[in-house]
Amino acid sequence: MKKNKIFSIFTFLFIAFSFISCDNEPIDPTLLAQIAANSSSNGNNSSTGSFTANIDGVNFTAESVAASMLNVPTNGNILSIVGVKSSGEYIAIQITNPTIGTFVANNNSNPLQAVTLSYRQNTTTSDIFSAYNYFAATPAPTGSVTISSINLTTKTISGSFYFDGYLMNSATPVKNITNGVFNNITYITQ
């Protein structure tokens, strides 16, 4: 019951952010990260599976993972996965209409297969690093997500990702996220 309430809150916030954020702005999953961290501290992990990456060459292993598939009538299915550490550090992935294959971040040519990737170091900073370079004359892909398996019956998903993270006020990538893997992550549907 508690999980459904948490994910209902997440779903509401996710939809609200989706409609009030601009097309190129990453959706800030801070609230979801806090929910996932709180679930972990209460002994109620929201998802199973593993979520790892390297951030500037340093290993990142999520202590908690939250994932949900939301059906939005105008866009289709939107999958959100957030891997969170107890410090509040997180990596967030959002994919519209996920299927097996590779999805390029910031590929504005197909909004029905949009990918948003973001990273935040901890809860003491408001800096969110996005796979979108706001200063590029012509935005170029800065990362991708590859879905290697998705099981609609067991509601599990696996894949890999990478991206260069930019701040909204910098043209230089300041975080390099590589070797990202999410393996056998369970998700709920909304």
Side-chain angles (χ1 to χ4, degrees):
M1 185 67 129
K2 184 176 179 180
K3 286 183 189 179
N4 288 339
K5 183 176 179 181
I6 290 171
F7 281 108
S8 294
I9 292 169
F10 161 70
T11 301
F12 170 77
L13 293 172
F14 175 77
I15 291 171
F17 282 123
S18 295
F19 290 114
I20 61 174
S21 64
C22 61
D23 290 338
N24 295 328
E25 181 179 326
I27 295 173
D28 179 357
T30 302
L31 294 175
L32 178 60
Q34 291 172 348
I35 290 167
N38 289 339
S39 289
S40 179
S41 66
N42 292 331
N44 299 322
N45 263 346
S46 1
S47 186
T48 60
S50 63
F51 190 105
T52 61
N54 290 327
I55 300 168
D56 291 335
V58 177
N59 289 336
F60 170 94
T61 300
E63 296 161 3
S64 180
V65 179
S68 90
M69 183 86 72
L70 173 67
N71 184 283
V72 179
T74 57
N75 293 354
N77 291 319
I78 300 175
L79 174 70
S80 297
I81 305 171
V82 179
V84 185
K85 293 177 78 170
S86 60
S87 65
E89 180 180 23
Y90 69 79
I91 298 173
I93 301 169
Q94 184 180 58
I95 307 167
T96 304
N97 295 314
T99 59
I100 292 175
T102 299
F103 300 85
V104 177
N106 305 321
N107 181 4
N108 295 330
S109 65
N110 188 356
L112 293 179
Q113 289 192 319
V115 173
T116 303
L117 300 161
S118 59
Y119 167 72
R120 185 172 179 183
Q121 284 182 290
N122 56 51
T123 57
T124 63
T125 179
S126 61
D127 292 341
I128 296 175
F129 301 90
S130 166
Y132 188 81
N133 182 349
Y134 294 89
F135 288 91
T138 305
T142 63
S144 71
V145 176
T146 299
I147 297 176
S148 56
S149 71
I150 185 167
N151 186 318
L152 301 175
T153 304
T154 61
K155 297 181 182 176
T156 57
I157 189 164
S158 297
S160 60
F161 63 94
Y162 74 91
F163 67 99
D164 291 330
Y166 295 83
L167 291 172
M168 288 181 64
N169 59 358
S170 174
T172 306
V174 289
K175 292 294 174 188
N176 185 257
I177 290 76
T178 59
N179 302 318
V181 175
F182 51 97
N183 188 36
N184 208 30
I185 302 294
T186 57
Y187 62 87
I188 65 161
T189 54
Q190 297 282 310

